[in-house]
Amino acid sequence: MLRVVIMLIMGIITGKLAFPYIPSYILLVATAVCLTAAFLLRRSPVGQSLAIGLTFLTLGAYLITNTLDKMNVPLPKDEVVYNAVLTTEPSVHGRVVQTDLLIIGDGKPLKVRASILRDTVQNRWQRLHVGDGITATSLLEPPHNFAGSTFDYAAWLRQSGFAAETFIFYNSWRKAEIDLTSLSYMQRATVEARRIREKLLERYRCYGADGSSYAVLAAMTLGDKSALSKELREDYSIAGASHVLALSGLHLSIIYTILLLLTFGYRRRWLPQVLIMLAVWSYVVLVGMSASVVRSAVMLTIVSMVMILNRGSVLLNSLSFAAFVMLLWNPLTLYDIGFEMSFMAVLGIAMLEPLMRPRHLPKNIFQKLLYMIWGVISVSIAAQVGTAPLVAYYFGRFSCYFIITNLIVIPCATIILYGVVALAVLSWWHLLASHIASALILITGFMNTVLHRIASLPGASIDGISLSPLQVLAVYIFLFTVYFTIDFFSNIDDRRP
C-alpha cells in the first residue's frame, strides 16, 4: 500500500504542476490504458508492476486536475444579493467578525470566507451563530494574499475548498430563514454538528473554564482553536507540544480505548465494533473533520475491521490505506499541513519506534515503569524525526526540549480526555460533574504553566530555519537511507542460515 500511495502522491504533484496544460480527460484515458495494460501483462511481473504504478500515477494526476477544474468557479464582477448559511461560529478579529459561508443558489453551494464589519450601535453581529441564515449584498472576490506576508493564504483557502472571499458592510446583511434542502446530507450534518459543538463549548464556560484553560480544553477535545491566543500557541510551539492542540491519533485512540472497555470483552463481535465506529465517526464530524482526525478515524476503522475478522494488522499498511482513501476523496488533502504532519508523524513511529523498542520484556514493577517511560520517549523521538523537516519548512523552528515536554503533556492529555468523557457521561450528576470540571481546569492550567516555563528556558527552540521543498525532500531521502541501513544491519543475524 505504501508503494501505491507514493505513486498516487507523485501523480497528484505532477498533475498540479501540469495544470491547466493537460486536460483531465486525457489523463483519464491514460489511466484506463495503463489499467488495461496491467491486466494484459499478467504473465510479466515486472511489466505488470510498472503498469500498476503508472495507473496510480495517472490516476493521481487526473484526480487533481479534475478537482482544480471544478474549483474554477466564475465569479460575478459586481456586487450580488445572495442567501447563505453560516458554517462556523463568528469570531472577532479587530473591527470585523470572520465566518465561513455556504452561499445557496441554483447551482452547487459556494464556500466563501466572509468578513463582516461590526456595527457599534445595535451590535447585530452578536446575534449571529453557526447554522444561522443571512441575506447579504457584497462583492465576491477570488482568494488573495495579504500584503507583505510570506504565507500563501490564497493557496491555503483554495486547498480548503473556498471559492471566494467577501467583505460585508454592517448594513448590507440581515438574518433570514434559509431552506437547506439544496445542501447535501453531509453538509447539513456538518452544520448541525457545529451547532452541537457550540452548545458543548458553552457548557465548558458554565463549569467555570475561561482564559487559557478554556482555550486548551476547547482545542484538545472539540477541535475549536478560535480561543487560543497568539502567546499560548507560541508557548506550545516552542515547547514542542502543538500536536496536543490538534486532534489526531492520540485523542481518537483514547476515545476508542474507552469505547472498547465498554464492550465488556465482546470487542471481536461485529455489532459492538459497528457501534464504536459510528461513535468515532460522529465525533469526527462533531470536531470539524480535520485531515489529521479523519486519518486517525480511517486507521481505527481498519483496526476495527481486522479485529472482527481476527486478522493481524500492520501499522504501515493501515497508514498507507488511510492516506490512499483520503487522497482519492480529495487530492488537495495532500497539501494540507495537518495531513502532512499527521502522516509523517505516524510514518516515523511505524518505522523508527520498533528499532528503539527493548528486546526483552520487563519483569518487575521498576522495569515496567522504565519501559513505559521509554515508550513515551521512543514514540516522541520517532514522531519528531518524522515531522522535524516539515516543521522547519513551514514554521522555521525546531523544539529542543520535546522529550521533556511529551513526558508531561501526554499523561496530562490522557487524563484530560478521560475526564472529559467522564464529564459527558456524568453531566446529570451536577455536584460530581462540577468537581470533575474543576479538576480538568486545574490540570489544564498546570500543563499551560509548565509549558510556558519550558518555552522560556534558554535554547528552548532553534528559530529562523529556512528550507526549500527540494531541501526537505533531500532530508527525508537521507533519513530513509539511514533507516534502511540501520534496519539492514540490525537484522543481518536473522538472515544468516
Side-chain angles (χ1 to χ4, degrees):
M1 283 305 303
L2 182 61
R3 298 172 188 175
V4 169
V5 168
I6 289 174
M7 296 305 295
L8 188 69
I9 289 173
M10 290 175 62
I12 292 172
I13 295 172
T14 304
K16 189 179 180 185
L17 292 174
F19 181 81
Y21 305 108
I22 302 178
S24 58
Y25 69 87
I26 292 180
L27 294 169
L28 183 60
V29 171
T31 303
V33 170
C34 293
L35 184 60
T36 304
F39 279 107
L40 296 176
L41 294 171
R42 290 193 298 271
R43 296 183 179 180
S44 174
V46 175
Q48 188 179 52
S49 297
L50 289 174
I52 292 174
L54 289 174
T55 299
F56 287 104
L57 181 75
T58 53
L59 176 62
Y62 163 73
L63 290 172
I64 190 69
T65 53
N66 186 55
T67 301
L68 293 174
D69 278 334
K70 291 179 179 179
M71 290 180 62
N72 283 334
V73 180
L75 300 174
K77 296 182 179 180
D78 301 320
E79 290 188 346
V80 291
V81 181
Y82 53 85
N83 294 322
V85 60
L86 278 70
T87 58
T88 58
E89 188 70 11
S91 57
V92 177
H93 293 267
R95 298 178 61 186
V96 302
V97 289
Q98 289 185 348
T99 185
D100 297 340
L101 301 177
L102 266 182
I103 296 180
I104 301 173
D106 297 331
K108 184 180 177 181
L110 205 64
K111 190 176 179 181
V112 176
R113 174 61 59 89
S115 298
I116 304 175
L117 185 64
R118 292 194 291 160
D119 59 300
T120 56
V121 179
Q122 297 180 341
N123 290 322
R124 292 187 302 131
W125 60 272
Q126 294 180 350
R127 296 191 289 272
L128 279 177
H129 299 284
V130 60
D132 289 344
I134 63 170
T135 298
T137 304
S138 65
L139 177 65
L140 302 178
E141 301 177 294
H144 59 277
N145 291 320
F146 295 105
S149 176
T150 56
F151 176 64
D152 196 345
Y153 180 68
W156 178 81
L157 283 179
R158 292 191 186 95
Q159 290 161 14
S160 302
F162 289 93
E165 294 180 276
T166 189
F167 181 85
I168 306 173
F169 285 93
Y170 67 89
N171 59 351
S172 297
W173 67 271
R174 60 179 176 83
K175 290 186 71 172
E177 292 291 333
I178 305 298
D179 183 13
L180 303 182
T181 55
S182 61
L183 298 181
S184 67
Y185 175 78
M186 192 63 204
Q187 288 172 329
R188 280 178 282 172
T190 301
V191 171
E192 188 59 34
R194 297 285 173 84
R195 286 176 175 169
I196 296 173
R197 185 173 74 167
E198 288 304 317
K199 293 179 182 179
L200 295 175
L201 290 171
E202 183 61 33
R203 186 169 295 181
Y204 282 169
R205 301 185 190 99
C206 293
Y207 283 128
D210 59 0
S212 60
S213 296
Y214 166 79
V216 172
L217 278 175
M220 280 183 57
T221 60
L222 292 172
D224 180 25
K225 299 182 181 180
S226 59
L228 293 171
S229 64
K230 184 178 179 181
E231 293 77 15
L232 192 60
R233 289 175 185 265
E234 191 72 3
D235 283 346
Y236 273 72
S237 176
I238 294 174
S242 295
H243 59 92
V244 176
L245 301 177
L247 291 174
S248 59
L250 171 66
H251 307 75
L252 276 193
S253 296
I254 292 173
I255 294 172
Y256 183 72
T257 303
I258 295 172
L259 295 174
L260 278 181
L261 293 174
L262 298 177
T263 62
F264 302 107
Y266 294 98
R267 62 182 64 186
R268 294 192 182 275
R269 302 286 181 87
W270 68 268
L271 182 58
Q273 287 296 331
V274 169
L275 294 176
I276 288 174
M277 284 300 101
L278 285 174
V280 167
W281 280 102
S282 298
Y283 177 74
V284 170
V285 175
L286 178 67
V287 299
M289 298 187 69
S290 65
S292 57
V293 76
V294 170
R295 188 270 310 159
S296 304
V298 173
M299 291 185 66
L300 285 176
T301 304
I302 298 169
V303 170
S304 179
M305 291 173 61
V306 299
M307 188 176 292
I308 295 173
L309 298 173
N310 199 22
R311 299 284 298 275
S313 63
V314 179
L315 179 58
L316 195 57
N317 268 347
S318 301
L319 173 65
S320 302
F321 184 76
F324 180 75
V325 171
M326 293 177 68
L327 293 175
L328 281 183
W329 180 261
N330 180 13
L332 284 173
T333 305
L334 178 63
Y335 299 94
D336 184 280
I337 297 176
F339 171 81
E340 295 175 3
M341 299 283 285
S342 177
F343 185 88
M344 294 309 301
V346 180
L347 184 61
I349 293 171
M351 298 179 72
L352 299 180
E353 194 273 338
L355 296 179
M356 296 183 283
R357 192 179 301 162
R359 293 184 178 270
H360 303 287
L361 294 176
K363 297 180 180 180
N364 53 51
I365 297 177
F366 179 71
Q367 288 180 344
K368 289 180 179 179
L369 180 61
L370 291 179
Y371 188 85
M372 291 175 59
I373 295 174
W374 175 246
V376 175
I377 293 175
S378 61
V379 169
S380 300
I381 293 173
Q384 190 75 13
V385 171
T387 58
L390 288 177
V391 173
Y393 173 68
Y394 284 114
F395 308 107
R397 170 174 290 160
F398 178 80
S399 301
C400 299
Y401 302 143
F402 67 91
I403 294 178
I404 300 174
T405 297
N406 281 290
L407 286 173
I408 297 168
V409 163
I410 291 178
C412 287
T414 305
I415 295 171
I416 289 170
L417 289 169
Y418 275 102
V420 168
V421 174
L423 184 64
V425 174
L426 300 172
S427 58
W428 55 274
W429 192 348
H430 299 293
L431 180 61
L432 182 58
S434 62
H435 285 302
I436 294 174
S438 299
L440 291 176
I441 294 170
L442 185 65
I443 295 170
T444 307
F446 166 77
M447 186 170 66
N448 291 341
T449 301
V450 171
L451 291 182
H452 175 71
R453 291 182 178 177
I454 292 176
S456 303
L457 291 174
S461 66
I462 301 173
D463 295 314
I465 303 173
S466 179
L467 294 178
S468 66
L470 190 61
Q471 289 173 321
V472 173
L473 179 62
V475 171
Y476 276 119
I477 291 174
F478 171 76
L479 291 175
F480 278 116
T481 303
V482 172
Y483 163 77
F484 286 117
T485 303
I486 295 174
D487 183 60
F488 176 81
F489 284 106
S490 62
N491 297 321
I492 195 169
D493 291 335
D494 299 333
R495 298 187 182 96
R496 289 174 178 171

